[in-house]
Each structure stands twice: as C-alpha cells, then as structure tokens.
Amino acid sequence: MKRIFSGIQPTHTMTLGNYLGAVRNWADLQKDFECLYCVVDLHALTIPQDPEILRRNTRELTAALLAAGIDPEGSILFAQSHVPGHSELAWLFGCLTPMGWLSRMTQFKDKAGKHRDQAMSGLFTYPVLMAADILVYRATHVPVGEDQKQHLELTREIAGSFNHRYGVEYFPLVEPQIFGAATRVMSLRDGTKKMSKSDSSDFSRINMTDDADLIAQKFRKAKTDPEPLPSAIEGLADRPEARNLVNIYAALARTTPEAVLATYGGKTFSTFKAALTDVAVAALSPVADEMNRLLADPAEIDALLRRGAERAGAMAAVTVGEVRDLMGLLRV
Ligand code: AQP
C-alpha cells in the first residue's frame, strides 16, 4: 500500500516556503494515499527552545496544518514526542549508521556553521531520527521541499543497510515527492539562500500569520534587480531574486513560471510585486483566518493530537516490536 509520512518542525510559525514546498502538497496527496503528518517537536529541540514557546508553536503548527487542509480524520495528525516508537527506532538505527554518512549532511554543516564542536550531537544525528520517523510507519512516499532530498537519500541507505544486515525486505526504499513550482522558496533578502523559519530577519520570509499590509510591505522591500522582468524563462538564469518571485507567483496561482512571464514579461518589479501581493493575500488570508479560529480552542487541538498519537502509536508499536525481534532483543 502507498503510505505517506511527512513532518514539520515547530520552531516558528509556518512560512510560505514550508507551505508551498511541502504542506500544500500534503493536503493535495490525501486523496490518493494513506497519510501520516507529524509536528516534529523532538527535531525542534536540536536548537535551543524556550519551553513555553515550543508548546505554543506546537499548537500553532498543528492549527496551521489543519487550516492548510490536513483532514485529521482521513489522515493521522500528531506530535512526534507523543509516539515513543520514533525515538526507540532512532536509537536502533543509530547503531547501523556510520558517522561518515552523517558527516556528509549539508544541513548539519549549514546549521552548525564554524562552531561544529559546540553543536549538539542531536543536530548531528537528526537525520537518523528523521529516518525513524518515516520508517516506523514503513512509509513508501515522503513529500518534502528540495532541501530535504539528502536526508531522504540517507533514509534509503539506512533502510537498505537494515534489510541487508538482517536478510529481510522489511523496510521500503522511500520515494521523495518533490513537486510544484516552488520546491525551494528562497529568502526575500537573498535569492541564493532558502526561506527559513529561523532566519534572524523577519523580512526574509512571509509567515502564514502575516496580514495583508505586512505581506505587501515584505514584497515591496524584497531584493530585486533594476531590469524589468524577462519574457522567457532563460532570462531568469542569472537573476535568483527575480526567479524566486516568479516561482512564488506561479505556485500561489497554481500556474507555471512560463505563464507568469507571458503576462508580466517587460513589466517593472513594482507592477509585478503589487500583483504578487494580491495573489499571496488571496491564497494565504483564508489559511490565517482559519488558524486563528482554531487557536481560540487549544484544548481541542490537544485532544486532536492525542487521538492522532493513539492511532500512530498503535502502528509504530508493531514496527518497533518486529524490529526488536529481528535485531535479537529479548521480548519483554
Ligand atoms: N524554503 C523552502 N522552500 C521549499 N520547501 C521548504 N521547506 C522548508 N523550507 C522550504 C519544507 O518544509 C517542510 C518542513 O520543514 P521543517 O520545518 O522540517 O524544517 P526545515 O526544512 O529546516 O525548514 P525551515 O523553515 O528552514 O526551518 P528551520 O529554520 O527551523 O530549520 C520540509 O518538507 C521542507 O523541505
């Protein structure tokens, strides 16, 4: 059976990058797959978190997923830390994952920066927990943004290594699902850096909670170049900021960059940015309104996460039990 797993970290409110690169696709995929979607709070702990803010962000991200169209009855929506099988399988996988594989991960290098020795070991082993998140449900497909491609390759390597070591075909080799016009949404301040929740500048990103005025202001201030927009896609080759805004427009309007340039080629950025603001506000404001409605009742969000964790936990317990047997751990 085709089964989807994907997750989002409650490190901040959801950005346009998370939405267009991943979450909107998650909602679309629900009609064709059995889906599990997870607020990955244990991953958020790989960088320092204020406990109160982490709790608030976990509820807020859950509300954002619901508002973006995740159906908590048809799909399973839950918090990672509520299902202990993720952490247990991560330990077991950690015993099968060479340090060299983890040392290749570019996200660790980017996030740890120059002070690698001071980075927490959890940040280094994060991709092992991610492999466990996916494989504890023996998921076959994982919809993510472009930035997670390398971690998914590692998940395939870990699954393959387990199957080989124990002479079984137990874990599937997962297929990444990276699609849409905005698989890598870039920062509004620097078209060569991805838009990120944790960027220190709020003007580098659009948050799902930004109101129409703030969205307009952020696009108005977004870095561009002095040339008008080109009429053909090749004209965007050396213009990362222009390319980013065109891709964002195309994704929001569910069209192609070519179609956007057919309309706006030759136009100035001030004209294009005003049109971009209109499509962004039309697409995002219903999501923000629904999020605010849901957040007015945090007890209902907690209850919904609890129900999701019960369903996910029952599935995870089966996998962990079978893996323990295969690895030679005595039954309790
Ligand atoms: N800029 C992006 N463009 C397209 N997709 C993106 N995703 C993240 N940023 C972009 C996708 O969103 C999903 C959830 O991401 P995450 O919360 O697990 O963490 P991340 O990839 O590390 O994203 P951020 O926003 O940069 O978070 P921080 O700053 O907390 O590390 C993933 O599928 C991701 O591909």
Side-chain angles (χ1 to χ4, degrees), residues 6-12 15-23 26 40 47 107 111 126 143-148 182-186 194-199:
S6 203
I8 183 163
Q9 297 186 67
T11 38
H12 184 268
T15 68
L16 186 63
N18 301 133
Y19 180 63
L20 294 179
V23 174
W26 299 1
V40 287
I47 52 172
Q107 194 177 80
K111 289 198 172 176
Y126 167 120
V144 284
E146 182 78 39
D147 61 316
Q148 291 296 334
T183 55
R184 192 171 174 82
V185 178
M186 309 310 277
K194 87 164 183 166
M195 182 181 285
S196 177
K197 291 192 225 87
S198 50
D199 193 309

Side-chain angles (χ1 to χ4, degrees), residues 189-262:
R189 306 247 96 172
D190 177 352
T192 62
K193 248 176 75 181
K194 87 164 183 166
M195 182 181 285
S196 177
K197 291 192 225 87
S198 50
D199 193 309
S200 57
S201 162
D202 195 53
F203 273 73
S204 68
R205 62 179 163 259
I206 304 286
N207 303 308
M208 299 305 285
T209 45
D210 290 346
D211 64 19
D213 286 346
L214 192 53
I215 292 175
Q217 219 184 333
K218 285 181 174 179
F219 279 133
R220 229 178 8 253
K221 292 198 170 183
K223 183 176 170 199
T224 43
D225 54 51
E227 302 297 316
L229 279 169
S231 301
I233 209 83
E234 299 74 44
L236 293 173
D238 300 320
R239 300 175 66 186
E241 283 83 18
R243 187 169 60 238
N244 188 35
L245 296 185
V246 169
N247 287 344
I248 291 175
Y249 187 111
L252 284 168
R254 292 191 184 267
T255 181
T256 59
E258 288 81 358
V260 176
L261 292 182

